Amino acid sequence: MEQQKDTAVFVDLENVYYGLKKYHMDPDHPDEQHNLFLRLQEHYGKDSIRMIEAYADFEQLDLSMMSLQKKRVHVNQVYGNGRDGKERKNASDIQLCLDAMEVLYQIPEIERFVVVSADQDMIPLLDRLWSKGKRVELFCLWDESLSRTAQLQEFCDESYNLLEFLHMEEMDDFSQLDRLIHNSVIQVYEWYRDPNNIGKSYGSTWIKNDFARKFQLSEMEAGHLFTRLVKGKYLLPYEITVSDKVYYGYKVNLEQPQAQMMIKIAGYKVS
């Protein structure tokens, strides 16, 4: 007998993307044990999932829509205000709530609603679905970014910590030095992605100063870390000419396999 497709999954992907980014984690991770969408399918069973809906401004995220679609994820493009960080706003959560309510009333055979988000704006949705007799399950990041007053778990039948669900504890097995190298590569890569640094070069002195400040290293430790990155070819010399004056700096070597993988794991596309 064919299993009934009674589960609908709604992912506030923009919310999750930026939440995982601080852990240098990609929700569409190349390893299936850390991949959000493959883990959801494994957890609930492909045959029970009627739909997986993901909402984000995909023009602003380094995610492959084609990769998600191949995983049977329906992508919903929701435009934002074009800003970054705390100033960034979009209507992903609103569109998600509207679609979930439409499914509630138009597809009555859906008995389990799964919401992936840490947004407190989801509380009215969770409460409404639960009050209609549906099973409601929530996935979110249980870290310092989640308000302690939200009590999201009180509005659902089951709640899961994404840090555990995506087996992120296994990624803590590598050494402190490996983690420093990883974070340092991301630091240099993201420096060049900052619109304020367009047309600039990241000099060695500035890089070492930033390493010392951000990773709480001594001047000597920051210097050793920088040397290791250069010797390991994680960083390559880079120069730029401005008004006939040459400025020297360093960029991430995207031809170095380990550096390339670090950038991908952090959620960025590497061509």
Side-chain angles (χ1 to χ4, degrees):
M1 182 176 179
E2 185 177 354
Q3 184 173 352
Q4 184 177 2
K5 292 184 177 294
D6 62 355
T7 300
V9 181
F10 297 89
V11 183
D12 186 350
L13 185 54
E14 187 139 342
N15 177 294
V16 173
Y17 175 88
Y18 287 109
L20 291 174
K21 186 177 180 181
K22 62 177 177 282
Y23 297 99
H24 304 305
M25 184 76 171
D26 184 354
D28 192 20
H29 196 282
D31 186 333
E32 63 182 28
Q33 287 303 304
H34 305 305
N35 188 291
L36 172 63
F37 307 98
L38 296 180
R39 284 287 292 121
L40 286 169
Q41 291 175 351
E42 177 187 23
H43 183 75
Y44 291 105
K46 287 184 178 181
D47 292 336
S48 71
I49 296 176
R50 176 74 170 262
M51 63 187 72
I52 300 180
E53 303 288 327
Y55 301 82
D57 184 351
F58 287 91
E59 292 185 357
Q60 302 299 320
L61 306 189
D62 283 302
L63 288 174
S64 168
M65 295 176 70
M66 182 177 295
S67 174
L68 297 182
Q69 290 166 339
K70 287 181 178 179
K71 296 179 177 68
R72 298 167 60 179
V73 176
H74 180 230
V75 297
N76 296 269
Q77 169 65 29
V78 185
Y79 291 99
N81 60 4
R83 299 180 182 179
D84 294 319
K86 294 182 179 179
E87 299 299 319
R88 179 162 183 75
K89 299 290 183 182
N90 74 7
S92 292
D93 53 352
I94 297 175
Q95 189 61 53
L96 185 158
C97 291
L98 290 173
D99 288 354
M101 293 304 297
E102 183 176 356
V103 170
L104 172 66
Y105 289 107
Q106 295 191 3
I107 312 179
E109 58 267 30
I110 296 295
E111 292 294 336
R112 177 166 49 197
F113 285 77
V114 179
V115 177
V116 186
S117 174
D119 197 326
Q120 295 181 59
D121 292 342
M122 293 296 169
I123 289 179
L125 172 65
L126 301 175
D127 187 52
R128 176 60 63 88
L129 294 172
W130 187 78
S131 68
K132 294 296 182 181
K134 301 299 183 179
R135 179 170 178 83
V136 182
E137 300 187 10
L138 172 71
F139 290 82
C140 63
L141 283 170
W142 298 106
D143 62 9
E144 70 283 352
S145 63
L146 184 65
S147 170
R148 293 295 179 265
T149 62
Q151 300 297 317
L152 290 172
Q153 67 272 23
E154 294 184 4
F155 295 88
C156 55
D157 295 289
E158 191 78 40
S159 60
Y160 301 89
N161 186 347
L162 280 175
L163 298 175
E164 299 174 357
F165 185 70
L166 296 178
H167 303 296
M168 290 175 66
E169 70 280 357
E170 296 175 7
M171 302 182 75
D172 291 332
D173 291 340
F174 55 96
S175 69
Q176 182 179 7
L177 177 59
D178 290 332
R179 182 171 292 281
L180 274 175
I181 291 175
H182 178 97
N183 291 342
S184 300
V185 168
I186 302 303
Q187 159 65 25
V188 175
Y189 183 80
E190 291 183 339
W191 189 91
Y192 282 99
R193 289 179 60 85
D194 187 335
N196 295 321
N197 296 327
I198 294 176
K200 299 179 182 180
S201 63
Y202 204 5
S204 59
T205 300
W206 286 104
I207 291 176
K208 286 183 279 189
N209 286 341
D210 283 346
F211 284 175
R213 177 174 54 86
K214 293 194 173 186
F215 307 135
Q216 298 181 336
L217 304 175
S218 68
E219 183 178 337
M220 181 178 294
E221 290 171 331
H224 287 326
L225 176 59
F226 176 77
T227 300
R228 184 178 288 270
L229 291 172
V230 174
K231 286 185 176 180
K233 296 186 177 180
Y234 294 95
L235 301 181
L236 291 178
Y238 171 74
E239 63 181 56
I240 187 171
T241 303
V242 180
S243 301
D244 296 326
K245 194 171 183 178
V246 179
Y247 296 89
Y248 299 94
Y250 288 83
K251 265 191 170 183
V252 174
N253 178 14
L254 295 180
E255 299 299 321
Q256 209 265 28
Q258 288 176 291
Q260 187 179 99
M261 180 56 67
M262 291 173 186
I263 299 302
K264 287 182 177 180
I265 289 174
Y268 296 106
K269 296 178 183 177
V270 180
S271 56

